[in-house]
Amino acid sequence: MKKVISAFTVMATCMFTSQVMAQDELPAPAPKEQKPYRAAVGIRLSSSPAVVNNSISFRYFFKENQAIEALVSLGDPIAFGALYQIHTPLAVEGLNWFYGGGAYLGFEKYYHTTKNKDVTEPNVGAQGVVGLDYKFTGIPLNISLDWKPELNLVREVFFEPAAIGVSARFTF
């Protein structure tokens, strides 16, 4: 019986030692990946008199790297814009660059000299966008810096190249 207990003790010790050594040889766990946000809502402040300038911004990712951004400007002019965007990650965690394009519809008020009164007319046009987008780790905040030139096509053809904007959004 002593031999059986001694053999069992030696085998248990060898198994325990091999388990401990095997655990030491395991690779270190991979760092936690940042979970991308699915949607975000916030504000976009613009530096120029573009049709879609200071606005409320809503961005929704329908694929991992593709999003739709809706912009609503409530000043003068009142305008609605939509942008299709493609996002590509950069070396810094949470930082992406993006590009895309879309269209807008604005309603601009101006003084009509022959009618001697204020009138509101629609503006329709195309817009492009390129920028940087950063999602903070640990808090539901996203910021972005973008260039969004516009080409007005209705009422008068006009190109606005200087539309730089900064956005801050709550992510969920």
Side-chain angles (χ1 to χ4, degrees):
M1 183 74 172
K2 273 177 132 179
K3 289 182 182 181
V4 171
I5 292 175
S6 295
F8 180 73
T9 304
V10 169
M11 284 177 34
T13 303
C14 290
M15 290 175 70
F16 178 75
T17 305
S18 68
Q19 285 292 330
V20 169
M21 289 180 164
Q23 287 180 359
D24 288 344
E25 295 171 8
L26 291 175
K32 267 187 153 180
E33 278 189 35
Q34 179 184 357
K35 184 179 178 189
Y37 63 95
R38 182 75 166 175
V41 64
I43 61 169
R44 180 181 184 276
L45 302 175
S46 181
S47 66
S48 74
V51 174
V52 184
N53 51 32
N54 298 331
S55 56
I56 298 169
S57 167
F58 177 76
R59 182 181 285 161
Y60 176 75
F61 282 88
F62 58 91
K63 289 189 178 177
E64 185 177 324
N65 68 336
Q66 297 176 29
I68 294 289
E69 184 172 2
L71 299 168
V72 179
S73 294
L74 299 174
D76 186 22
I78 293 175
F80 306 95
L83 292 160
Y84 168 76
Q85 301 171 345
I86 297 175
H87 290 247
T88 304
L90 294 172
V92 176
E93 183 180 346
L95 182 65
N96 293 319
W97 76 279
F98 64 93
Y99 62 93
Y104 65 86
L105 170 64
F107 299 95
E108 191 169 17
K109 187 187 298 186
Y110 70 98
Y111 185 76
H112 196 287
T113 54
T114 56
K115 293 181 180 179
N116 290 330
K117 66 178 184 176
D118 286 335
V119 294
T120 302
E121 288 194 4
N123 284 332
V124 177
Q127 55 189 351
V129 68
V130 64
L132 294 172
D133 185 70
Y134 182 72
K135 166 62 176 87
F136 287 93
T137 304
I139 60 173
L141 179 64
N142 157 254
I143 59 172
S144 65
L145 173 68
D146 63 57
W147 175 54
K148 187 180 69 61
E150 296 180 348
L151 177 62
N152 194 48
L153 300 171
V154 173
R155 199 178 83 134
E156 65 179 348
V157 176
F158 179 76
F159 180 63
E160 176 55 62
I164 303 292
V166 175
S167 300
R169 298 178 197 88
F170 174 78
T171 63
F172 47 98

